[in-house]
Amino acid sequence: MSVENTQRQVEHDVLLVNDKTKNKIQVVKGLDKDGKLETVPATKKNQNQFLKVDRHGDFFSNFFSNFFSQLKNPTQFTFFRVPELLTIKMANQMQKELNQSGPTHELFLKHQITEVGNEPKKENKVAESSKEQEQYSSNKFDIKDIDWDSLSKLGLSKEKLHEMDLLEPLLQGYKTKDLVAVNLDLGSAVFSLDARLSLERNEEGKVVMALEGVKKYPNLNVPLYGHEFSKQDKHNLLKTGNMGRVVELVHPTTKEKIPSVVSVDRLTNNLVVTRVEKMQLPQEVKGIVLSEQQLQTLKEGKPLLVEGMTSAKGNLFNAEIQYNAAKGHIEFLFDNTNKQSQTQNQSQLSDDLKTFRGKELTEKQQSDLLEGKPIYIKDLVDKRGNPYQGYVTYNKETKQADFSFQNPNKEQQSKAQSQSEKQADEPKKTKGRKM
């Protein structure tokens, strides 16, 4: 009993907060005498100022209810509950994604405190199972409708998806952010591939797992829902990943013409479509409030040059932004800005490559990434504090680092090794013929 009490004493959560007026993730320090929120940046230097809360059900619920009731202007803030040991890493990751897309990503949804005083309690396993079912029942897909026996043939299970922090995002309707290693067991043959996963309903209404395998190139030579890609469409999709205009796509069942934008999923090279009516556009980007005319330009799928934005380091920069259907939000197109912006962004890029998911990279690793080589990283930590490892590559066109559990150059290395062995055998064969 004393051991359990000791463990509970060291199990703490920390409150992160997003001030909607500043769009900045910080750590809660407390409240001043007037009920105003006090925060500090998420750095090691400030760790002793972080407000730490016992993570167990009743205590946290009562604490936060009391805290929230004393807070002045509570609607101005969005709170997140994260493990103490992962506070800095998760705050940095949230800020990075907030800068790109706003707080709609599964990372925000997973840790956001949405109901004051209604935090889940840790009771017995039966109660936890019931609460888990209740938690998932409000998602886009119901966990009860998934055929786990069929998924086992893909090497997937509820436990594995839960451990990889993929189950809840999938049930909410998201695609996996990274490629996932899938093992297909067909009885007479077994093979592996990397794919993005998502849940969808088939024609019979059953929930099935959709696998988006990786293509070498996007297929732009066949019509997409009745739209034939023009030469300019293909050029735009291959250069920026976005088609750059709105087109009417024909729904395969209803034959309805739907105004949509088209982008390339840079992880898989598949084409992704978003209805214009469902495009989510920010009112403000890096300190610049967008006008109605600018928002209309983005809504038409076109790139928009925004000047005088402020980077995370406080530097002013110009860049083009454009809506990306595959990401579901706007992205920066630094390649299309002026040389001054390119130089500045390249400097910021070097800073971005210094760490990956909270893991500091060596100069050799940074150099290899810039040269297009994959690097192997271990001791990464997921949102639940579990370690994992894999390969990181850097895409110079998208200015983004991608993660894969398998070495993306494995096949190329095997071919190179095979070719090298053939060349090594040639002198022996020639010598043999002379003799």
Side-chain angles (χ1 to χ4, degrees), residues 266-360:
R266 294 189 177 98
L267 274 180
T268 64
N269 280 326
N270 288 295
L271 297 175
V272 181
V273 174
T274 296
R275 297 185 180 208
V276 170
E277 63 185 30
K278 293 189 176 181
M279 292 172 65
Q280 295 184 356
L281 300 175
Q283 301 296 315
E284 180 181 344
V285 180
K286 297 290 187 179
I288 299 298
V289 178
L290 301 180
S291 66
E292 289 298 325
Q293 184 178 355
Q294 289 175 313
L295 289 171
Q296 183 59 35
T297 298
L298 292 173
K299 201 168 186 178
E300 293 171 0
K302 301 175 182 178
L304 171 70
L305 176 62
V306 181
E307 299 179 325
M309 292 182 287
T310 305
S311 71
K313 294 186 177 181
N315 301 319
L316 295 179
F317 72 101
N318 307 329
E320 281 192 323
I321 62 175
Q322 190 174 28
Y323 184 85
N324 183 289
K327 295 180 178 179
H329 55 74
I330 64 166
E331 64 177 355
F332 291 92
L333 305 176
F334 289 115
D335 285 343
N336 296 341
T337 57
N338 56 46
K339 291 183 179 179
Q340 180 179 359
S341 294
Q342 288 178 334
T343 302
Q344 183 178 10
N345 292 325
Q346 185 62 40
S347 174
Q348 294 170 0
L349 174 62
S350 299
D351 291 336
D352 291 341
L353 281 180
K354 289 183 179 179
T355 60
F356 179 79
R357 298 184 181 177
K359 181 75 173 180
E360 189 171 345

Side-chain angles (χ1 to χ4, degrees), residues 360-370 375-377:
E360 189 171 345
L361 304 183
T362 65
E363 292 185 3
K364 177 67 166 58
Q365 288 175 318
Q366 296 177 48
S367 176
D368 286 345
L369 284 177
L370 288 174
I375 63 171
Y376 180 75
I377 299 184

Side-chain angles (χ1 to χ4, degrees), residues 130-356:
S130 175
K131 288 181 179 293
E132 178 189 51
Q133 190 66 52
E134 182 181 349
Q135 173 190 356
Y136 291 143
S137 64
S138 61
N139 292 321
K140 183 176 180 179
F141 299 98
D142 196 319
I143 194 172
K144 296 184 298 183
D145 295 335
I146 299 177
D147 186 349
W148 295 108
D149 289 338
S150 296
L151 287 186
S152 65
K153 296 179 180 179
L154 301 177
L156 300 174
S157 65
K158 182 174 72 172
E159 292 73 23
K160 182 176 180 179
L161 292 174
H162 186 71
E163 289 175 1
M164 296 172 68
D165 283 328
L166 298 179
L167 182 57
E168 188 170 348
L170 285 169
L171 292 172
Q172 291 172 345
Y174 293 101
K175 292 181 182 179
T176 55
K177 189 176 180 181
D178 300 310
L179 296 176
V180 178
V182 177
N183 300 310
L184 296 178
D185 186 354
L186 303 179
S188 58
V190 179
F191 60 95
S192 301
L193 77 157
D194 286 341
R196 291 189 77 174
L197 309 181
S198 62
L199 293 174
E200 61 181 36
R201 293 189 183 275
N202 61 16
E203 295 180 355
E204 299 174 353
K206 294 182 179 180
V207 178
V208 296
M209 184 72 74
L211 307 181
E212 286 190 22
V214 179
K215 296 179 180 177
K216 192 170 184 179
Y217 302 106
N219 191 354
L220 305 178
N221 295 322
V222 297
L224 176 69
Y225 298 117
H227 172 71
E228 294 189 6
F229 296 103
S230 67
K231 185 176 181 180
Q232 187 63 45
D233 290 340
K234 295 177 182 179
H235 172 79
N236 291 342
L237 285 165
L238 293 175
K239 182 180 180 182
T240 67
N242 306 311
M243 196 162 72
R245 66 188 180 107
V246 173
V247 292
E248 289 189 338
L249 303 180
V250 180
H251 193 282
T253 305
T254 65
K255 306 304 178 184
E256 174 190 4
K257 292 184 177 180
I258 304 171
S260 307
V261 292
V262 182
S263 299
V264 176
D265 184 333
R266 294 189 177 98
L267 274 180
T268 64
N269 280 326
N270 288 295
L271 297 175
V272 181
V273 174
T274 296
R275 297 185 180 208
V276 170
E277 63 185 30
K278 293 189 176 181
M279 292 172 65
Q280 295 184 356
L281 300 175
Q283 301 296 315
E284 180 181 344
V285 180
K286 297 290 187 179
I288 299 298
V289 178
L290 301 180
S291 66
E292 289 298 325
Q293 184 178 355
Q294 289 175 313
L295 289 171
Q296 183 59 35
T297 298
L298 292 173
K299 201 168 186 178
E300 293 171 0
K302 301 175 182 178
L304 171 70
L305 176 62
V306 181
E307 299 179 325
M309 292 182 287
T310 305
S311 71
K313 294 186 177 181
N315 301 319
L316 295 179
F317 72 101
N318 307 329
E320 281 192 323
I321 62 175
Q322 190 174 28
Y323 184 85
N324 183 289
K327 295 180 178 179
H329 55 74
I330 64 166
E331 64 177 355
F332 291 92
L333 305 176
F334 289 115
D335 285 343
N336 296 341
T337 57
N338 56 46
K339 291 183 179 179
Q340 180 179 359
S341 294
Q342 288 178 334
T343 302
Q344 183 178 10
N345 292 325
Q346 185 62 40
S347 174
Q348 294 170 0
L349 174 62
S350 299
D351 291 336
D352 291 341
L353 281 180
K354 289 183 179 179
T355 60
F356 179 79

Side-chain angles (χ1 to χ4, degrees), residues 37-53:
L37 187 67
E38 294 182 317
T39 62
V40 293
T43 62
K44 290 184 178 179
K45 179 181 178 181
N46 296 324
Q47 278 182 317
N48 62 339
Q49 300 184 66
F50 294 174
L51 177 64
K52 303 177 182 66
V53 185

Side-chain angles (χ1 to χ4, degrees), residues 398-410:
T398 64
K399 305 292 188 295
Q400 289 185 342
D402 297 322
F403 177 83
S404 174
F405 286 103
Q406 296 182 351
N407 188 345
N409 283 2
K410 188 175 182 180

